[in-house]
């Protein structure tokens, strides 16, 4: 179960391993959940640049349609 999206049917893993069972250990990541880790920590973008990308709606942690609706209110 994904905390934001709920529970959905899952076809399972796209591969089968004969001697190694595969188990899903955690839910899929939420939208934008790893933006800071990937952009900041791994790629080295400064926090100001990440914030600018958020302000320009290039990245975010909620669907663009919700962000635009919130900005209009």
């Amino acid at each position: 179960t994904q905390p934001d999206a709920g529970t959905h049917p899952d076809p399972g893993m796209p591969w089968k391993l004969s001697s190694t069972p595969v188990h899903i250990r955690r839910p899929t990541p939420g939208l934008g959940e790893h933006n800071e880790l990937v952009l900041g920590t791994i790629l080295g973008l400064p926090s100001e640049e990440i914030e600018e990308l958020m302000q320009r709606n290039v990245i975010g942690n909620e669907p663009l349609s919700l962000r635009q609706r919130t900005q209009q209110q």
Side-chain angles (χ1 to χ4, degrees):
T1 300
Q2 208 281 341
D4 296 321
T7 302
H8 298 278
D10 185 354
M13 300 304 285
W15 57 86
K16 302 293 181 203
L17 304 173
S18 59
S19 298
T20 307
V22 178
H23 302 285
I24 298 173
R25 294 184 291 264
R26 61 181 74 128
T28 57
L31 180 63
E33 182 177 338
H34 298 113
N35 284 350
E36 289 288 331
L37 172 68
V38 174
L39 298 173
T41 305
I42 296 173
L43 297 178
L45 265 63
S47 57
E48 297 81 18
E49 192 167 343
I50 294 171
E51 181 62 33
E52 180 185 340
L53 292 172
M54 289 182 74
Q55 294 298 319
R56 293 177 35 216
N57 292 323
V58 174
I59 62 170
N61 57 5
E62 62 184 9
L64 182 57
S65 59
L66 290 179
R67 282 188 278 157
Q68 289 173 335
R69 207 175 304 146
T70 303
Q71 291 171 354
Q72 290 173 353
Q73 293 178 352

